[in-house]
């Protein structure tokens, strides 16, 4: 067997391993997550589980509807904060900053992207929560707002890094052609360069959403983790799905444990959908 075939089969084996691992995870989550709804000794309506606004396992009440709402609101809120700041920062780094200044900014962003999420949570608990407590009508700093801000800080370096890469990938011929037609630097940037990098930017945003909705430790520290109630304002406490799994998996047994797997299955489906969207956006960009 020559070296070419050896490399080919090695890469094929690695690819198949990844696919098999993903398939095993998916099958395991489906089997464990759907088990409670088919158990003869356990009466739980699947609609009540997904729409319920109370989670009290010790009383036999299982509803993750308010967790889904809280997770989605926190994720959307963080993305709304991140997107304009990330795009403008990336544009400034790639198009307007001198190289000597842009390099330290890029290094700092890469450093922030590598910080463990629990440290963002500790910062939120020690700094953001006390600040929010001072203005919150509920008297508690742990809230939807705190989760949103912490997720925004976490997601922003990732979105900026991917956006910077997308902007750098735009051929300089696009810029030169626009400038030669009389457009100034600002017009060229926002009417030519940014639209040309749109698919990469969108993929970065979607991946940022995936990281936000899947975050655990940071949100657990600042969410409040209430046992029920759909948030009515940004100052209300929430209980993200990830936090629910992390808080209770260590002691849960029986159907309680299985329903935590069901919560994980819901989270898994959300993230898979986001990855599919990101892949399609990337392919659309290649076609253009």
């Amino acid at each position: 067997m020559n070296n070419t075939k050896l490399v080919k089969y090695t890469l094929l084996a690695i690819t198949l391993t990844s696919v098999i691992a993903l398939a095993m995870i998916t099958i395991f989550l489906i089997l464990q997550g759907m088990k409670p709804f088919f158990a003869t000794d356990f009466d739980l309506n699947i609609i009540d589980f997904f729409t319920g606004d109370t989670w009290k396992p010790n009383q036999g009440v299982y509803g993750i509807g308010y967790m889904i709402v809280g997770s989605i609101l926190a994720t959307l809120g963080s993305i709304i904060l991140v997107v304009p700041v990330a795009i403008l920062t990336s544009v400034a780094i790639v198009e307007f900053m001198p190289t000597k200044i842009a390099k330290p900014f890029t290094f700092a962003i890469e450093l922030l992207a590598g910080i463990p999420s629990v440290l963002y949570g500790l910062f939120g608990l020690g700094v953001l929560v006390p600040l929010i407590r001072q203005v919150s009508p509920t008297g508690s700093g742990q809230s939807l707002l705190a989760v949103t801000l912490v997720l925004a800080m976490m997601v922003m370096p990732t979105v900026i890094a991917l956006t910077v890469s997308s902007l750098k990938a735009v051929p300089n011929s696009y810029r030169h052609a626009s400038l030669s037609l009389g457009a100034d630097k600002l017009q060229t940037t926002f009417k030519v360069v940014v639209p040309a990098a749109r698919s990469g930017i969108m993929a970065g945003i979607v991946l940022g959403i995936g990281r936000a909705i899947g975050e655990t430790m940071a949100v657990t520290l600042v969410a409040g983790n209430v046992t029920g109630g759909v948030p009515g304002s940004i100052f209300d406490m929430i209980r993200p799905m990830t936090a629910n799994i992390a808080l209770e998996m260590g002691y849960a047994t029986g159907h309680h444990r299985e329903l935590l797997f069901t919560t994980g299955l819901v989270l898994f489906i959300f993230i898979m959908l986001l990855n599919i969207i990101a892949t399609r956006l990337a392919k659309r960009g290649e076609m253009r």
Side-chain angles (χ1 to χ4, degrees), residues 1-11:
M1 181 181 295
N2 57 39
N3 292 335
T4 302
K5 288 186 176 181
L6 178 61
V7 172
K8 177 182 177 181
Y9 288 127
T10 301
L11 294 176

Side-chain angles (χ1 to χ4, degrees), residues 266-286:
V266 175
L267 191 63
F268 180 75
I269 292 172
F270 281 171
I271 294 175
M272 286 296 293
L273 290 175
L274 290 171
N275 285 333
I276 292 172
I277 293 171
T279 302
R280 291 197 172 186
L281 287 174
K283 287 184 178 180
R284 184 179 298 178
E286 293 176 358

Side-chain angles (χ1 to χ4, degrees), residues 6-261:
L6 178 61
V7 172
K8 177 182 177 181
Y9 288 127
T10 301
L11 294 176
L12 178 61
I14 295 172
T15 303
L16 289 175
T17 301
S18 301
V19 173
I20 292 171
L22 178 60
M24 291 176 64
I25 292 172
T26 304
I27 293 171
F28 174 77
L29 285 175
I30 292 174
L31 293 177
Q32 291 294 323
M34 297 305 296
K35 188 183 295 184
F37 303 108
F38 296 97
T40 57
D41 61 339
F42 187 63
D43 184 19
L44 177 64
N45 188 292
I46 190 170
I47 297 177
D48 294 337
F49 176 74
F50 283 106
T51 61
D53 63 353
T54 304
W55 178 270
K56 293 182 178 180
N58 57 338
Q59 299 178 15
V61 179
Y62 302 95
I64 66 168
Y66 78 104
M67 299 183 200
I68 296 174
V69 172
S71 298
I72 292 175
L73 289 178
T75 302
L76 290 179
S78 64
I79 293 301
I80 290 172
L81 293 176
V82 164
V83 170
V85 177
I87 292 177
L88 292 176
T89 301
S90 302
V91 166
I93 291 173
V94 176
E95 301 296 329
F96 295 98
M97 285 186 184
T99 304
K100 291 183 178 180
I101 300 177
K103 282 186 176 180
F105 271 92
T106 304
F107 175 77
I109 291 168
E110 292 174 352
L111 185 63
L112 288 172
I115 293 177
S117 60
V118 67
L119 297 183
Y120 283 101
L122 291 174
F123 174 81
L125 185 63
V127 178
L128 295 179
V129 168
L131 292 176
I132 295 172
R133 186 182 297 121
Q134 295 178 8
V135 298
S136 174
T138 65
S140 174
Q142 293 178 310
S143 59
L144 172 60
L145 177 60
V147 175
T148 300
L149 293 176
V150 168
L151 288 178
M153 289 190 298
M154 286 184 53
V155 170
M156 192 171 297
T158 301
V159 178
I160 291 176
L162 292 172
T163 303
V164 166
S165 299
S166 299
L167 292 174
K168 287 183 177 180
V170 176
N172 284 328
S173 58
Y174 285 31
R175 299 175 176 86
H176 297 158
S178 177
L179 293 171
S180 67
L181 291 174
D184 58 26
K185 180 68 173 178
L186 196 63
Q187 291 173 325
T188 298
T189 298
F190 287 101
K191 293 187 177 182
V192 176
V193 178
V194 172
R198 181 172 60 247
S199 61
I201 295 172
M202 288 300 300
I205 293 171
V206 172
L207 292 176
I209 294 173
R211 184 183 181 188
I213 201 169
E215 177 50 40
T216 303
M217 289 307 301
V219 300
T220 301
L221 294 173
V222 300
N225 303 306
V226 290
T227 58
V230 176
S233 76
I234 58 175
F235 296 107
D236 288 341
M237 294 182 182
I238 64 171
R239 188 184 185 96
M241 290 183 286
T242 52
N244 186 53
I245 297 171
L247 288 170
E248 300 188 4
M249 186 59 77
Y251 65 86
T253 59
H255 295 305
H256 178 195
R257 181 182 176 87
E258 292 168 353
L259 288 171
L260 292 177
F261 278 107

